[in-house]
Amino acid sequence: LGRRGGARRIPSADEAGNQVNPGAVMARWLARLRFRWGIARVLTLSMLLVVVLAVGLITVLDIRRAQGISRHKFEEQGLLLAGALNETLANPLYFLDINRVGSIATTAASQADLKYVQVFRPDGQLLVDTARLRYAVGSVSEELVARVIREQQSVRMYSNGALEVSSPVRVGKQVLGGVRFGFDTTRLNAEIRAIVLQHIWQGLVIIVIGMVLSFVITRHLVRPLNRLVEATKRIGEGQA
Protein backbone atom coordinates (compact mmCIF):
# COMPACT_ATOMS: atom_id res chain seq x y z
CA LEU A 1 0.00 0.00 0.00
CA GLY A 2 1.38 3.40 -1.00
CA ARG A 3 1.50 6.15 1.64
CA ARG A 4 -0.89 9.04 1.11
CA GLY A 5 0.93 11.87 -0.47
CA GLY A 6 4.11 9.84 -0.80
CA ALA A 7 4.25 9.84 -4.60
CA ARG A 8 6.07 12.83 -6.23
CA ARG A 9 4.53 14.23 -9.35
CA ILE A 10 6.94 14.89 -12.19
CA PRO A 11 6.29 18.36 -13.69
CA SER A 12 5.41 18.49 -17.31
CA ALA A 13 7.54 20.16 -19.95
CA ASP A 14 5.25 23.25 -20.02
CA GLU A 15 5.36 23.61 -16.23
CA ALA A 16 9.12 23.27 -16.25
CA GLY A 17 9.37 25.99 -18.86
CA ASN A 18 7.21 28.31 -16.76
CA GLN A 19 9.51 28.09 -13.73
CA VAL A 20 11.43 31.23 -12.72
CA ASN A 21 14.77 31.43 -14.48
CA PRO A 22 17.29 33.31 -12.30
CA GLY A 23 19.46 34.20 -15.27
CA ALA A 24 16.57 35.74 -17.19
CA VAL A 25 15.40 37.69 -14.12
CA MET A 26 18.86 39.11 -13.56
CA ALA A 27 19.19 40.04 -17.22
CA ARG A 28 15.87 41.88 -17.20
CA TRP A 29 16.77 43.70 -13.96
CA LEU A 30 20.16 44.83 -15.24
CA ALA A 31 18.68 45.93 -18.52
CA ARG A 32 15.99 47.91 -16.72
CA LEU A 33 18.64 49.53 -14.51
CA ARG A 34 20.69 50.42 -17.56
CA PHE A 35 17.87 51.96 -19.55
CA ARG A 36 15.90 53.64 -16.79
CA TRP A 37 18.52 54.95 -14.46
CA GLY A 38 21.85 54.57 -16.16
CA ILE A 39 25.13 54.43 -14.29
CA ALA A 40 26.21 57.81 -15.64
CA ARG A 41 22.98 59.44 -14.54
CA VAL A 42 23.17 57.94 -11.06
CA LEU A 43 26.75 59.05 -10.57
CA THR A 44 26.05 62.52 -11.96
CA LEU A 45 23.03 63.05 -9.69
CA SER A 46 24.96 61.76 -6.69
CA MET A 47 27.86 64.07 -7.46
CA LEU A 48 25.49 67.00 -7.94
CA LEU A 49 23.83 66.33 -4.58
CA VAL A 50 27.16 66.10 -2.78
CA VAL A 51 28.42 69.34 -4.37
CA VAL A 52 25.21 71.22 -3.52
CA LEU A 53 25.33 70.06 0.10
CA ALA A 54 29.04 70.85 0.42
CA VAL A 55 28.71 74.31 -1.15
CA GLY A 56 25.68 75.08 1.00
CA LEU A 57 27.45 74.02 4.19
CA ILE A 58 30.59 76.00 3.36
CA THR A 59 28.49 79.06 2.47
CA VAL A 60 26.61 78.94 5.78
CA LEU A 61 29.86 78.56 7.73
CA ASP A 62 31.50 81.46 5.88
CA ILE A 63 28.46 83.70 6.44
CA ARG A 64 28.46 82.93 10.15
CA ARG A 65 32.19 83.58 10.31
CA ALA A 66 31.76 86.96 8.58
CA GLN A 67 28.90 87.87 10.91
CA GLY A 68 30.94 86.87 13.95
CA ILE A 69 33.92 88.95 12.83
CA SER A 70 31.71 91.96 12.10
CA ARG A 71 29.89 91.64 15.42
CA HIS A 72 33.17 91.49 17.33
CA LYS A 73 34.49 94.51 15.41
CA PHE A 74 31.30 96.51 16.03
CA GLU A 75 31.34 95.71 19.73
CA GLU A 76 34.95 96.84 20.14
CA GLN A 77 34.32 99.96 18.08
CA GLY A 78 31.18 100.66 20.08
CA LEU A 79 33.02 100.56 23.41
CA LEU A 80 35.73 102.91 22.13
CA LEU A 81 33.21 105.31 20.59
CA ALA A 82 31.06 105.34 23.74
CA GLY A 83 34.08 106.33 25.82
CA ALA A 84 35.10 109.03 23.35
CA LEU A 85 31.58 110.49 23.17
CA ASN A 86 31.32 110.51 26.95
CA GLU A 87 34.42 112.69 27.15
CA THR A 88 33.52 115.04 24.29
CA LEU A 89 29.82 115.47 25.16
CA ALA A 90 30.21 115.96 28.91
CA ASN A 91 31.18 119.64 28.76
CA PRO A 92 28.59 120.82 26.17
CA LEU A 93 25.82 118.84 27.90
CA TYR A 94 26.77 120.36 31.25
CA PHE A 95 26.38 123.87 29.81
CA LEU A 96 23.50 122.81 27.51
CA ASP A 97 25.42 123.90 24.41
CA ILE A 98 23.07 122.23 21.90
CA ASN A 99 24.97 123.51 18.87
CA ARG A 100 28.17 121.91 20.12
CA VAL A 101 26.31 118.69 20.95
CA GLY A 102 24.88 118.58 17.43
CA SER A 103 28.27 119.16 15.84
CA ILE A 104 29.87 116.37 17.85
CA ALA A 105 27.04 113.95 17.02
CA THR A 106 27.20 114.80 13.30
CA THR A 107 30.96 114.30 13.22
CA ALA A 108 30.65 110.94 14.99
CA ALA A 109 27.86 109.81 12.65
CA SER A 110 30.06 110.49 9.61
CA GLN A 111 32.37 107.62 10.57
CA ALA A 112 32.36 104.48 8.46
CA ASP A 113 29.79 101.83 9.41
CA LEU A 114 27.96 104.24 11.75
CA LYS A 115 24.31 104.80 10.91
CA TYR A 116 23.08 107.36 13.41
CA VAL A 117 23.87 109.09 16.72
CA GLN A 118 21.26 110.17 19.26
CA VAL A 119 21.85 112.30 22.33
CA PHE A 120 19.16 112.50 25.01
CA ARG A 121 18.61 114.19 28.34
CA PRO A 122 18.31 112.36 31.69
CA ASP A 123 14.51 112.30 31.28
CA GLY A 124 14.87 110.56 27.90
CA GLN A 125 14.00 113.59 25.76
CA LEU A 126 16.00 113.61 22.52
CA LEU A 127 18.31 116.52 21.91
CA VAL A 128 19.98 115.33 18.69
CA ASP A 129 19.12 112.56 16.21
CA THR A 130 21.35 112.51 13.15
CA ALA A 131 19.14 109.90 11.45
CA ARG A 132 16.24 112.36 11.18
CA LEU A 133 16.87 115.93 12.18
CA ARG A 134 19.87 117.47 13.80
CA TYR A 135 17.70 118.82 16.58
CA ALA A 136 15.15 116.09 17.05
CA VAL A 137 11.93 115.78 18.97
CA GLY A 138 10.71 112.72 20.80
CA SER A 139 12.21 110.51 23.46
CA VAL A 140 13.81 107.14 23.99
CA SER A 141 12.06 104.27 25.74
CA GLU A 142 11.56 104.20 29.49
CA GLU A 143 13.44 100.93 29.70
CA LEU A 144 16.48 102.48 28.08
CA VAL A 145 16.29 105.51 30.38
CA ALA A 146 16.12 103.21 33.41
CA ARG A 147 19.17 101.21 32.40
CA VAL A 148 21.34 104.01 31.02
CA ILE A 149 20.42 106.96 33.25
CA ARG A 150 19.31 105.46 36.53
CA GLU A 151 21.48 102.34 36.59
CA GLN A 152 24.30 104.01 34.59
CA GLN A 153 24.85 100.96 32.40
CA SER A 154 26.18 100.69 28.88
CA VAL A 155 23.59 98.78 26.89
CA ARG A 156 24.32 96.75 23.76
CA MET A 157 21.50 95.24 21.77
CA TYR A 158 20.98 93.86 18.28
CA SER A 159 18.08 95.05 16.15
CA ASN A 160 17.63 93.40 12.73
CA GLY A 161 21.22 92.17 12.90
CA ALA A 162 22.62 95.66 13.61
CA LEU A 163 24.35 96.59 16.86
CA GLU A 164 22.96 99.51 18.91
CA VAL A 165 24.99 100.89 21.80
CA SER A 166 23.63 103.18 24.50
CA SER A 167 25.84 104.73 27.16
CA PRO A 168 25.47 107.39 29.88
CA VAL A 169 27.28 110.72 29.62
CA ARG A 170 28.46 111.78 33.05
CA VAL A 171 30.88 113.91 34.97
CA GLY A 172 31.98 112.01 38.02
CA LYS A 173 28.81 110.50 39.45
CA GLN A 174 26.49 113.08 37.90
CA VAL A 175 24.64 111.78 34.83
CA LEU A 176 24.16 114.57 32.29
CA GLY A 177 22.34 112.50 29.69
CA GLY A 178 22.89 109.59 27.37
CA VAL A 179 24.10 108.80 23.87
CA ARG A 180 22.90 106.06 21.57
CA PHE A 181 24.32 105.07 18.20
CA GLY A 182 23.75 102.28 15.72
CA PHE A 183 25.98 100.63 13.18
CA ASP A 184 25.20 100.31 9.48
CA THR A 185 25.19 96.74 8.15
CA THR A 186 25.42 97.73 4.46
CA ARG A 187 29.05 96.67 4.20
CA LEU A 188 28.36 93.41 6.02
CA ASN A 189 25.39 92.63 3.77
CA ALA A 190 27.53 93.34 0.69
CA GLU A 191 30.22 91.01 2.04
CA ILE A 192 27.64 88.27 2.62
CA ARG A 193 26.29 88.66 -0.92
CA ALA A 194 29.84 88.44 -2.28
CA ILE A 195 30.41 85.23 -0.30
CA VAL A 196 27.19 83.69 -1.63
CA LEU A 197 27.98 84.60 -5.25
CA GLN A 198 31.54 83.36 -4.91
CA HIS A 199 30.42 79.97 -3.63
CA ILE A 200 27.73 79.72 -6.30
CA TRP A 201 30.32 80.23 -9.04
CA GLN A 202 32.68 77.79 -7.36
CA GLY A 203 29.88 75.24 -7.10
CA LEU A 204 29.01 75.61 -10.79
CA VAL A 205 32.63 75.11 -11.80
CA ILE A 206 32.91 72.03 -9.59
CA ILE A 207 29.66 70.65 -11.03
CA VAL A 208 30.87 71.08 -14.61
CA ILE A 209 34.22 69.46 -13.84
CA GLY A 210 32.48 66.64 -11.97
CA MET A 211 30.06 66.00 -14.83
CA VAL A 212 32.95 65.73 -17.29
CA LEU A 213 34.84 63.37 -14.99
CA SER A 214 31.75 61.26 -14.31
CA PHE A 215 31.13 60.97 -18.06
CA VAL A 216 34.70 59.84 -18.71
CA ILE A 217 34.71 57.40 -15.79
CA THR A 218 31.32 55.90 -16.52
CA ARG A 219 32.26 55.26 -20.14
CA HIS A 220 34.86 52.81 -18.87
CA LEU A 221 32.41 51.30 -16.36
CA VAL A 222 29.31 51.07 -18.53
CA ARG A 223 30.86 49.19 -21.43
CA PRO A 224 31.86 46.11 -19.39
CA LEU A 225 28.53 46.23 -17.60
CA ASN A 226 26.65 46.33 -20.90
CA ARG A 227 28.62 43.34 -22.12
CA LEU A 228 27.71 41.56 -18.87
CA VAL A 229 24.05 42.37 -19.43
CA GLU A 230 24.09 41.05 -22.97
CA ALA A 231 25.94 37.89 -21.92
CA THR A 232 23.54 37.31 -19.04
CA LYS A 233 20.57 37.83 -21.35
CA ARG A 234 21.94 35.32 -23.84
CA ILE A 235 22.57 32.78 -21.10
CA GLY A 236 19.05 33.33 -19.76
CA GLU A 237 17.46 32.94 -23.18
CA GLY A 238 19.52 29.85 -23.91
CA GLN A 239 18.40 28.18 -20.69
CA ALA A 240 14.76 29.12 -21.35
Side-chain angles (χ1 to χ4, degrees):
L1 296 177
R3 289 181 298 178
R4 182 178 300 177
R8 297 182 59 187
R9 186 171 62 87
I10 300 176
S12 62
D14 293 338
E15 292 175 338
N18 292 332
Q19 291 180 352
V20 177
N21 191 315
V25 172
M26 182 177 180
R28 288 195 297 269
W29 183 81
L30 289 174
R32 184 180 304 172
L33 176 65
R34 181 184 64 179
F35 290 113
R36 289 189 178 182
W37 288 101
I39 300 300
R41 186 181 302 176
V42 171
L43 290 179
T44 302
L45 292 178
S46 300
M47 180 273 302
L48 179 62
L49 179 61
V50 171
V51 170
V52 170
L53 292 177
V55 171
L57 178 61
I58 294 174
T59 303
V60 171
L61 292 177
D62 283 349
I63 289 175
R64 290 186 176 179
R65 179 181 59 82
Q67 290 176 338
I69 293 175
S70 297
R71 176 173 293 189
H72 182 68
K73 183 188 72 174
F74 287 157
E75 289 180 353
E76 288 187 345
Q77 185 177 349
L79 291 176
L80 294 175
L81 183 59
L85 288 175
N86 178 72
E87 293 181 1
T88 55
L89 288 173
N91 189 64
L93 276 179
Y94 183 82
F95 292 102
L96 291 179
D97 188 351
I98 306 302
N99 291 328
R100 180 60 178 163
V101 171
S103 298
I104 294 172
T106 302
T107 302
S110 63
Q111 297 184 19
D113 296 329
L114 206 60
K115 192 173 183 179
Y116 66 87
V117 175
Q118 295 176 340
V119 182
F120 53 92
R121 299 188 310 191
D123 59 358
Q125 187 71 29
L126 282 174
L127 296 175
V128 175
D129 186 357
T130 60
R132 299 178 183 177
L133 299 173
R134 186 173 179 182
Y135 306 108
V137 294
S139 59
V140 298
S141 65
E142 287 293 333
E143 179 183 0
L144 190 62
V145 171
R147 297 181 63 181
V148 174
I149 303 300
R150 300 191 186 98
E151 300 177 10
Q152 300 186 23
Q153 295 180 358
S154 293
V155 180
R156 293 178 296 178
M157 63 181 64
Y158 287 89
S159 177
N160 298 324
L163 175 64
E164 293 183 349
V165 179
S166 301
S167 179
V169 178
R170 57 192 171 213
V171 175
K173 294 183 179 181
Q174 181 182 0
V175 179
L176 304 175
V179 59
R180 180 170 70 170
F181 49 89
F183 289 93
D184 190 2
T185 58
T186 302
R187 184 181 300 182
L188 175 60
N189 295 333
E191 183 178 352
I192 291 176
R193 286 194 297 269
I195 291 174
V196 173
L197 291 176
Q198 179 183 0
H199 287 303
I200 288 176
W201 283 112
Q202 291 176 350
L204 291 176
V205 172
I206 295 174
I207 288 174
V208 172
I209 295 175
M211 291 178 65
V212 174
L213 292 177
S214 64
F215 176 76
V216 174
I217 294 173
T218 51
R219 285 192 62 185
H220 297 281
L221 295 177
V222 170
R223 286 179 180 177
L225 184 59
N226 288 338
R227 288 195 293 267
L228 175 63
V229 170
E230 297 298 333
T232 306
K233 184 184 296 184
R234 288 194 299 270
I235 294 173
E237 292 175 352
Q239 290 181 351

